[in-house]
Amino acid sequence: MRSTAAHAQKVARIRRQLAERDSKRPVSLRKSTTSHQVPKAGDAKYSDELIDISDLTAIINIDPVARTCVAEAGVTFADLVAATLRYRLVPMVVPELKTITVGGAVAGCSIESMSFVNGGFHDTCTEYEIITALGDVLLCTPDNEHRLTFHMMHGTFGTLGILARLTFRLVPAKPFVKVVYERYGSLADYQAAIARHAGARAVDFIDGFIHGPRWFVLNLGRFVDEAPYLNRYDWLKVYYQSTRTRAEDYLRIEDYLFRYDRGVTNVHPKSWPGRLLLGKFLGSSQLLRLAEKLHAFLPSRRPAITLDVFIPFSRVASFLTWYERELGHFPLWCVPYRRVNDYPWLAASFYQGLDDQLFLDLAIYGMEQPPDGINYYKVIEDKLFALGGLKTLISHNYYSEREFWAIWNKANYDQVKSMSDPQNIFRDLYTKTCLAAQGR
């Protein structure tokens, strides 16, 4: 654990960097780990001025009685889990990749297989320390004078300020996870099983795969104290492939939480010989870092699809009927997500007529674009708009400005932006995720 005095010195150094800027260029952040946004050719961020926050990597305090943790924004979930497990605790939501940071999980709305109860990682946070573009330091909670800023940090990709420190909740953990794989032949049965298990809460983890139009697997995990054997998926074995045939699994809690670190359904290396030779050395962070360095060689036209879509549970059948007919790419990763809060960063109209308390995150990874000029990203965006769903912004986005602000809450965003970044040095959310990402 690190002292609060050491943290205060880091914050002071970041504030000096902001105060001493004499450039008019937009600002990005130099971090200790690679970005987990999808690398894009020509992204304007590569020419930004950098503010160094790479030393924000300390876990400041773990309170095993209150089950809370205070950590700097650059702490990775791999380091965080290792630290909290000493107290038989883990974060309430642990994203699937080891080097996602706690700050990145808030900025990008990370979820995982405890989200059927807890929502996103940001829903488990109780306090943020934020450094504004003007160098002010705000302590934000869900109910203090900075509550709108607290809520608007979620999913806004660092465009409202620098997240320096977070407080978030933990849950009790056991050394192992037992996973049972249930199989279904229809979407109706699959959704009924998800709703039944999510409602009963007799399991600790739920996610699954749609391997094909009539091939559904539900992964149900429980903490257990003992395991008759142990499996792991960090080298030769591929987790999503194993769910096609296995009836059950036992994993160490660490191996369960990061079972997707080499990819979910787009695992690299793809071939068994490639995994044999390189699999131990090519986790998500190494692949992302390589792509960042070689970003100029990435395809700028028709990039492959890496996309998470959030569908209200009652509209999943409509989406998948359309998806199978028009796109037909499988497998899909499925993560049930509970509507813990109505988020102020979404337009009020998004919630009108929406009674669903459960969403289904469908991850479409590795689908190639067609050669005929159709942009599948835009096709999916339009369908989501029609169905009242939405997508994360970590990948390629093609919304018009009007379409974008019909989904995200411009009034709330502008209110916080005018206070936290009035000169727009961090870019606004639409520019950063839609225009700058395309080099515009």
Side-chain angles (χ1 to χ4, degrees), residues 340-397:
V340 176
N341 296 295
D342 287 356
Y343 302 126
W345 43 268
L346 287 171
S349 59
F350 178 82
Y351 292 106
Q352 291 176 359
L354 182 62
D355 297 324
D356 297 73
Q357 295 304 305
L358 196 65
F359 282 66
L360 195 62
D361 171 21
L362 298 173
I364 309 166
Y365 295 160
M367 179 170 62
E368 296 297 326
Q369 295 264 28
D372 56 7
I374 297 174
N375 182 347
Y376 278 172
Y377 277 107
K378 183 58 179 166
V379 169
I380 295 171
E381 286 175 359
D382 292 344
K383 186 62 178 178
L384 290 174
F385 194 85
L387 279 178
L390 71 158
K391 54 177 274 194
T392 59
L393 298 173
I394 63 167
S395 190
H396 300 268
N397 306 296

Side-chain angles (χ1 to χ4, degrees), residues 184-373:
Y184 298 91
S186 73
L187 177 61
D189 289 344
Y190 191 57
Q191 284 195 260
I194 292 172
R196 183 173 67 253
H197 286 296
R201 298 193 185 177
V203 296
D204 299 301
F205 307 95
I206 302 178
D207 73 327
F209 293 97
I210 303 177
H211 289 288
R214 281 158 292 282
W215 189 359
F216 303 85
V217 178
L218 196 57
N219 315 329
L220 303 170
R222 293 178 176 86
F223 285 117
V224 292
D225 290 306
E226 298 179 348
Y229 62 87
L230 288 174
N231 214 342
R232 57 193 301 170
Y233 294 92
D234 58 353
W235 189 7
L236 299 177
K237 300 174 184 177
V238 177
Y239 185 73
Y240 87 87
Q241 293 176 353
S242 77
T243 68
R244 296 170 177 166
T245 57
R246 296 188 69 90
E248 65 177 30
D249 239 334
Y250 286 88
L251 298 89
R252 291 190 318 148
I253 177 61
E254 304 96 313
D255 294 329
Y256 173 82
L257 293 173
F258 301 118
R259 66 206 180 282
Y260 297 122
D261 190 59
R262 288 191 297 108
V264 180
T265 57
N266 56 338
V267 174
H268 297 284
K270 291 185 179 297
S271 70
W272 191 91
R275 292 195 297 275
L276 176 64
L277 295 173
L278 300 172
K280 272 291 186 184
F281 313 104
L282 286 179
S284 58
S285 59
Q286 289 79 20
L287 291 166
L288 285 165
R289 189 173 293 111
L290 183 63
E292 287 276 315
K293 289 181 178 180
L294 301 176
H295 66 89
F297 299 97
L298 296 172
S300 57
R301 298 183 61 193
R302 295 192 292 278
I305 305 297
T306 302
L307 182 62
D308 282 75
V309 299
F310 288 80
I311 312 294
F313 209 64
S314 64
R315 303 171 192 174
V316 168
S318 296
F319 177 82
L320 283 175
T321 298
W322 167 85
Y323 178 86
E324 180 186 346
R325 182 181 67 247
E326 300 294 332
L327 304 178
H329 173 84
F330 296 96
L332 304 176
W333 185 33
C334 308
V335 183
Y337 182 97
R338 188 167 75 91
R339 178 179 170 183
V340 176
N341 296 295
D342 287 356
Y343 302 126
W345 43 268
L346 287 171
S349 59
F350 178 82
Y351 292 106
Q352 291 176 359
L354 182 62
D355 297 324
D356 297 73
Q357 295 304 305
L358 196 65
F359 282 66
L360 195 62
D361 171 21
L362 298 173
I364 309 166
Y365 295 160
M367 179 170 62
E368 296 297 326
Q369 295 264 28
D372 56 7

